[in-house]
Amino acid sequence: MRRQLVLVCAIVLASLALGGCQPTSDPAVPERVAAASGAEPAAQALVGGVTSEIFSSASKPTDTQVLFIHGGSYVHEASALHAPFFEKVLRNANATITMPLYALAPEHGYRVAYKQVLDVYLELRAAHPDSPIVLMGGSAGGGFALGFAQSLVEQGLPQPDRIVLISPWLDLTLTNPEIPAIDATDVLLDRKALVPNGLAWADGDDPQSYRLSPINGSLVGLAPTTVLAGTNDILYPDAQRLEVRAKKAGLDFELVSFSGANHVFAMSSGASGDEARSIVEKLISTLD
C-alpha cells in the first residue's frame, strides 16, 4: 500500500515538497507558477535570459544574492513550499533570492538547464559585483547546485561565497547500500519512483557522471558548503557519504543532521524546520 501511495506522492509531493518550474518567456507561466505556490506573485524577470522568480528584502545594493535551484525530481513544476520558505528567511536576512525556472525532463535533459543556470549565475555576478553570492538548492536542486559548483571549478569560473544544500539528491542511481533500510519507512520518497526521473534528466548520458551525481565529482576548490538533511530521508545516506569525501578533500564542510526529520523538512513547519531555516538565515547574514 505504501508503494501505491508513494507513486501518487511522487507526483503530488514532488511538485509540492520538491518543487519545479519550466523556463520560458511566455507571460502565462509566471501567473501559473504564482497560482501554484498559493502565495503573492513574486517579481518576475529575465535574468541571464531565463525567466526567474525573485524575492527580496535587500536594503542596499551590496546585500547578499541567493541563487536558489528548486527541486522536483527534475520533472516537476512549482512548489507550494518555496515562497513561504523564502518569505520567512527574508524576514531575518537582507538578501535577494533568484529562482530560475529552468528546463525540465523529459522534454529537456540536464545540459539545457546547466546552460541556463550558468547564464543566471554570470548575470548575477555581473549585475551585483560587490554582493556575496550564495548558491542554494533543495532536493534535486541540491544535487544540481553541487554539480553546478563543481562545473564552475572545471571551467575555471569563480565560486559562490557559500553553498547550501537542503536534503540534496546527490546520486541519481540511489545505489547506496544503506538506502533500502530507510526506503522501507520513508513516507515521502521512493527509490523506484525517483530513478526513472533521474534517467530522463540524464538524457542518455552516464547517470554517475558528476553533473548528474555530484557525489562522484571532485570536491576540491569548492566554496564552503553546508548540508541540511533529515535522517528519515532515503537521500540521507549519500549526505553522509558526501561528508566523508569532503573531509578527505579538505573542504570547509558541515553536515547538519536532524534526527527523525523527513525530506525537505527545512521548508516545512515544526521545530526541525524552524531550526534549519534559522541556520540558513545565519549563513546568509554572516556574508553581509
Side-chain angles (χ1 to χ4, degrees):
M1 177 62 72
R2 184 184 75 90
R3 295 297 173 176
Q4 293 174 345
L5 289 174
V6 171
L7 288 176
V8 175
C9 289
I11 297 175
V12 177
L13 289 173
S15 62
L16 295 180
L18 309 183
C21 310
Q22 289 185 348
T24 176
S25 58
D26 182 349
V29 169
E31 296 174 5
R32 175 162 51 82
V33 170
S37 72
E40 290 297 318
Q44 298 285 332
L46 287 175
V47 182
V50 181
T51 302
S52 303
E53 283 202 344
I54 301 173
F55 300 77
S56 185
S57 64
S59 58
K60 55 184 183 295
T62 56
D63 282 338
T64 300
Q65 297 291 316
V66 178
L67 171 54
F68 188 94
I69 305 180
H70 67 72
S73 64
Y74 299 119
V75 300
H76 293 291
E77 286 194 356
S79 167
L81 299 180
H82 285 106
F85 173 70
F86 295 155
E87 289 164 1
K88 288 178 181 178
V89 166
L90 294 178
R91 290 174 190 169
N92 298 305
N94 291 324
T96 296
I97 300 174
T98 299
M99 183 173 71
L101 311 185
Y102 62 88
L104 299 171
E107 292 82 5
H108 303 281
Y110 73 99
R111 291 178 292 274
V112 175
Y114 260 81
K115 175 62 167 60
Q116 291 173 322
V117 171
L118 178 60
D119 288 344
V120 172
Y121 179 73
L122 294 178
E123 173 64 22
L124 288 178
R125 294 195 66 93
H128 306 277
D130 299 320
S131 297
I133 293 183
V134 175
L135 175 62
M136 189 181 307
S139 189
F144 189 167
L146 182 58
F148 176 73
Q150 292 168 330
S151 75
L152 293 176
V153 174
E154 184 178 66
Q155 296 172 78
L157 295 172
Q159 283 286 292
D161 293 272
R162 178 163 287 278
I163 300 168
V164 180
L165 311 177
I166 301 171
S167 302
W169 185 4
L170 299 168
D171 181 355
L172 287 191
T173 67
L174 296 173
T175 52
N176 189 317
E178 296 182 15
I179 288 177
I182 302 175
D183 193 25
T185 58
D186 189 329
V187 298
L188 294 181
L189 299 183
D190 181 273
R191 182 185 179 279
K192 291 181 179 179
L194 286 179
V195 170
N197 293 340
L199 294 178
W201 175 249
D203 197 26
D205 284 357
D206 182 359
Q208 294 185 343
S209 65
Y210 82 82
R211 283 182 171 85
L212 299 167
S213 297
I215 189 74
N216 299 321
S218 173
L219 303 179
V220 176
L222 293 180
T225 301
T226 300
V227 176
L228 308 175
T231 61
N232 282 8
D233 183 344
I234 62 171
L235 306 182
Y236 181 69
D238 283 331
Q240 293 179 298
R241 282 180 59 205
L242 183 66
E243 180 182 37
V244 172
R245 295 199 63 237
K247 289 180 178 179
K248 290 182 179 179
L251 175 63
D252 182 348
F253 180 92
E254 182 180 16
L255 169 62
V256 186
S257 301
F258 292 78
S259 180
N262 295 317
H263 189 60
V264 291
F265 67 96
M267 294 186 186
S268 302
S269 59
S272 294
D274 291 344
E275 182 181 350
R277 190 178 65 252
S278 178
I279 292 171
V280 171
E281 293 165 0
K282 290 177 182 177
L283 290 172
I284 293 173
S285 297
T286 55
L287 294 175
D288 287 341

